[in-house]
Amino acid sequence: MRSALRIALPKGRMLEDALEIWARLGSGVAEGHANSRRLILPSADGRFEFLPVKSQDVPAYVEAGVADAGVVGYDVLYEQQPDVLQPLDLGFGVCRVVVAAPEGVLYPHLAGAVTPRVATKYVDTSRRFFASRGLQVDVLHIAGSVEIAPLLGLAHWILDLVETGRTLKENGLVVVDTVIESSARLIVNRASHKLRLEEHQRLIAELESIVAEPVAARTSARG
Amino acid sequence: MPNEMISRIPPGSQDLLAGDVTRRRRVQAEWFRLAEERGYQEVIPPTFEYEEVFTLGAGPDLARQLVRFVDRDGCLVALRADFTSSIARVAATKLAAAPLPLRLCYAGKVYRQGRAGGIDRREVFQLGAELIGDESADADIELLRLMIDTLHALEILDFQVNLGEIQYIRPLLLSLEPSLAEAAREAIDRKDRATLRLLGSRPEVPGAVARALEELPELIGRGEVLERAAALALCDDATGAIDRLARIDESLTVTEREHIVYDLGEIRGLDYYTGIRFEVFIDGVGGSVGSGGRYDELLSLYGLDRPAVGFALETDALAELLVGEGP
């Protein structure tokens, strides 16, 4: 058995927030590893090791048991529907998955009988969402810079993640519908939760008490 | 270059050679030796059946995973996705007049498909047993013991068996209105306590139900969990379920008990379970390597009302654990 619980964390913006929460448990990244390019980062107290991976890959690592637990946005869980435990909303990384259209483009029906084309990296989410609205659309999978698709005439609408809405605005897009509200979630491998029960229960309880603190206390602790 | 369609195999299928075959054969040989010694007779059900055999009792999760095709007469046929369903059909029809209890065992492939792009194998070997016509806790113990002894016979000693009881959770869910019960079922399955707390805070949910809902994800552990669970029990069915688990606990040997973890917040698995549930976990394997339980209402779906209990182990996962033994 691995001695440390292995935690898959999403690279990018959420990595820092996640590591900060673990630091508050006394389990920050071990000295000298903070900026290291190593694949796996040990925690200072040896309880955990962190595995930074692409956000979309976090569920796969946890579902397969390569990582015991992970942190990932609800938007990714909603899209991939992985078979994992989701015991806790960690409260950071708050954003929305929305449908956006260029100003002046109609929603939810285009003029005439045109079938709308939607560009997105959330293909399954799009299919489920528009089906639930009773709308027939063509979903086009785009890996990056979805917001330029309507600008270039590739799609009528987009379905994407927004945090501040600035990128949308810069590209002349407005939010026309909300799909889900997202935030960072703790996910846990089902078998690992059974086999390393006490460790998982302790981690969940500790994270729960930190998440329950008012946000102001957490930011001031940031120094 | 050879024809690509000839040289490759479909995703989720595999060729087994040399050591991979030997190890699976060894698992199966140990299994049949033990099962036959205890009076279990092998059954070989068909590789394909009318899809209703699998959709009737096992529920929508399995129904989504069936590999189906249209038969010559236009009927939908599915590859065997679950031995228990096939054997329940046989027991309720061809074996309807056979003296009870029936002790049946099997080993072979099941065919299931998950999401495209996943790593799920679409055909896996399983082995298992069913004890039909005995509703006693002794029958539960007999199957549990057979499962534990099979692993011991394969010199797999480091494993954990999680035991749950559907009758403990079912009254809780039945006390809620359907949409709330579905939300609760999902939250229990994800061990999402915040959502359970939120559901419990609804005015229409009685306090005792709210408390039990919130505690469910934490009702895991050794024997002492049964006492905590008994204190939260809402009705005679739930109390009865805990009493039965306590009786099983008493009958286990010290060695057997070392493997057991009581896990009352687990609701996963095929829909046909009505009582005790087993799930086997081994360190280093990302999922469960076996599962089973009591399914007293399944046979009646095929026309004959009989209590039954059974389990299945994942032969492939067990064989891979024997990797010390040659290539």
Side-chain angles (χ1 to χ4, degrees), chain A residues 1-2 63-65 74 80-88 189-195 197 201 208, chain B residues 115 119 160 162 189-193 197 217-218 220-221 263 266 268 279 281-283 285-288:
Chain A
M1 191 188 276
R2 283 194 296 266
E63 188 172 353
Y74 183 66
Q80 298 185 11
Q81 307 273 312
D83 186 14
V84 292
L85 301 178
Q86 300 178 30
L88 207 57
N189 173 269
R190 287 180 181 274
S192 173
H193 184 268
K194 307 238 186 243
L195 290 165
L197 181 66
Q201 282 180 331
E208 204 169 14
Chain B
R115 300 185 298 259
I119 47 167
Q160 177 178 315
N162 284 49
D189 183 43
R190 292 174 172 172
K191 301 205 184 293
D192 179 351
R193 288 188 90 179
R197 211 171 294 143
E218 296 289 327
I220 320 175
D263 188 355
E266 188 55 76
R268 310 191 72 218
E279 251 191 311
F281 295 94
I282 294 178
D283 186 41
V285 183
S288 76

Side-chain angles (χ1 to χ4, degrees), chain A residues 130-201:
Chain A
F130 289 107
S132 76
R133 286 273 197 271
L135 300 173
Q136 199 184 340
V137 303
D138 291 331
V139 177
L140 179 69
H141 181 241
I142 296 283
S145 301
V146 176
E147 59 285 344
I148 61 166
L151 218 58
L152 300 172
L154 188 60
H156 300 97
W157 308 326
I158 66 167
L159 185 145
D160 205 12
L161 195 65
V162 292
E163 205 170 348
T164 62
R166 210 183 64 205
T167 316
L168 288 188
K169 211 167 169 194
E170 283 169 1
N171 289 286
L173 298 166
V174 288
V175 173
V176 292
D177 212 339
T178 299
V179 181
I180 50 163
E181 312 274 343
S182 177
S183 57
R185 303 295 162 96
L186 178 74
I187 60 173
V188 178
N189 173 269
R190 287 180 181 274
S192 173
H193 184 268
K194 307 238 186 243
L195 290 165
R196 306 183 68 165
L197 181 66
E198 284 84 12
E199 291 165 88
H200 282 291
Q201 282 180 331

Side-chain angles (χ1 to χ4, degrees), chain B residues 56-117:
Chain B
L56 213 54
D61 277 346
L62 189 70
R64 268 193 290 276
Q65 295 178 46
L66 293 179
V67 181
R68 296 178 172 88
F69 54 95
V70 180
D71 202 7
R72 284 178 301 202
D73 58 3
C75 290
L76 261 184
V77 170
L79 295 184
R80 177 178 58 230
D82 177 41
F83 272 97
T84 300
S85 298
S86 292
I87 291 177
R89 176 190 56 72
V90 176
T93 53
K94 296 198 176 61
L95 295 173
L100 296 176
L102 283 169
R103 288 185 169 81
L104 304 172
C105 67
Y106 60 84
K109 278 181 175 178
V110 295
Y111 306 84
R112 297 176 182 182
Q113 44 192 357
R115 300 185 298 259

Side-chain angles (χ1 to χ4, degrees), chain A residues 197-217:
Chain A
L197 181 66
E198 284 84 12
E199 291 165 88
H200 282 291
Q201 282 180 331
R202 181 177 161 201
L203 173 63
I204 292 167
E206 288 174 342
L207 291 174
E208 204 169 14
S209 67
I210 287 184
V211 170
E213 286 172 22
V215 175

Side-chain angles (χ1 to χ4, degrees), chain B residues 1-317:
Chain B
M1 203 174 92
N3 180 333
E4 199 187 313
M5 289 308 279
I6 290 173
S7 59
R8 66 185 192 154
I9 58 174
S13 63
Q14 62 179 336
D15 296 317
L16 294 169
L17 303 164
D20 289 328
V21 173
T22 327
R23 281 187 286 275
R24 279 163 183 74
R25 286 286 176 240
R26 176 170 165 220
V27 173
Q28 290 179 341
E30 289 286 356
W31 164 240
F32 283 125
R33 184 187 59 73
L34 203 61
E36 278 163 23
E37 192 181 288
R38 301 198 183 173
Y40 286 77
Q41 278 194 333
E42 188 184 355
V43 182
I44 306 180
T47 312
F48 50 93
E49 300 229 18
Y50 293 116
E51 65 150 4
E52 288 82 1
V53 170
F54 304 111
T55 55
L56 213 54
D61 277 346
L62 189 70
R64 268 193 290 276
Q65 295 178 46
L66 293 179
V67 181
R68 296 178 172 88
F69 54 95
V70 180
D71 202 7
R72 284 178 301 202
D73 58 3
C75 290
L76 261 184
V77 170
L79 295 184
R80 177 178 58 230
D82 177 41
F83 272 97
T84 300
S85 298
S86 292
I87 291 177
R89 176 190 56 72
V90 176
T93 53
K94 296 198 176 61
L95 295 173
L100 296 176
L102 283 169
R103 288 185 169 81
L104 304 172
C105 67
Y106 60 84
K109 278 181 175 178
V110 295
Y111 306 84
R112 297 176 182 182
Q113 44 192 357
R115 300 185 298 259
I119 47 167
D120 293 341
R121 295 243 161 267
R122 288 199 281 181
E123 50 175 348
V124 297
F125 278 103
Q126 286 188 341
L127 59 85
E130 322 286 349
L131 174 50
I132 294 162
D134 185 345
E135 60 186 358
S136 70
D138 288 343
D140 298 352
I141 295 165
E142 176 177 330
L143 264 286
L144 189 58
R145 187 160 283 153
L146 179 57
M147 188 171 80
I148 291 174
D149 290 348
T150 304
L151 294 165
H152 284 166
L154 292 165
E155 290 160 79
I156 296 170
L157 304 176
D158 197 7
F159 60 90
Q160 177 178 315
V161 180
N162 284 49
L163 292 188
E165 244 289 352
I166 300 297
Q167 292 302 338
Y168 185 72
I169 302 183
R170 188 175 276 176
L172 260 183
L173 294 177
L174 287 177
S175 74
L176 302 170
E177 57 113 346
S179 67
L180 216 55
E182 180 50 33
R185 202 197 57 75
E186 204 169 285
I188 293 168
D189 183 43
R190 292 174 172 172
K191 301 205 184 293
D192 179 351
R193 288 188 90 179
T195 302
L196 289 171
R197 211 171 294 143
L198 206 67
L199 291 169
S201 68
R202 299 250 198 132
E204 70 268 32
V205 178
V209 174
R211 264 191 306 285
L213 275 180
E214 194 185 332
E215 286 308 311
L216 262 184
E218 296 289 327
L219 286 177
I220 320 175
R222 304 281 168 177
E224 83 284 349
V225 163
L226 296 181
E227 287 159 37
R228 272 203 285 145
L232 289 166
L234 290 173
C235 60
D236 292 349
D237 279 354
T239 310
I242 300 300
D243 286 348
R244 189 169 170 124
L245 284 179
R247 206 154 70 241
I248 289 168
D249 191 80
E250 277 168 25
S251 322
L252 297 174
T253 67
V254 176
T255 323
E256 286 167 343
R257 202 175 291 123
E258 276 168 9
H259 295 293
I260 304 289
V261 170
Y262 291 96
D263 188 355
L264 294 157
E266 188 55 76
I267 51 170
R268 310 191 72 218
L270 303 176
D271 283 359
Y272 51 60
Y273 291 114
T274 55
I276 193 172
R277 287 271 290 116
F278 329 137
E279 251 191 311
V280 187
F281 295 94
I282 294 178
D283 186 41
V285 183
S288 76
V289 299
S291 63
R294 181 159 281 285
Y295 51 95
D296 288 345
E297 289 154 23
L298 181 63
L299 265 74
S300 66
L301 298 176
Y302 305 103
L304 189 68
D305 190 13
R306 294 264 190 276
V309 55
F311 71 84
L313 288 171
E314 302 294 333
T315 308
D316 295 313

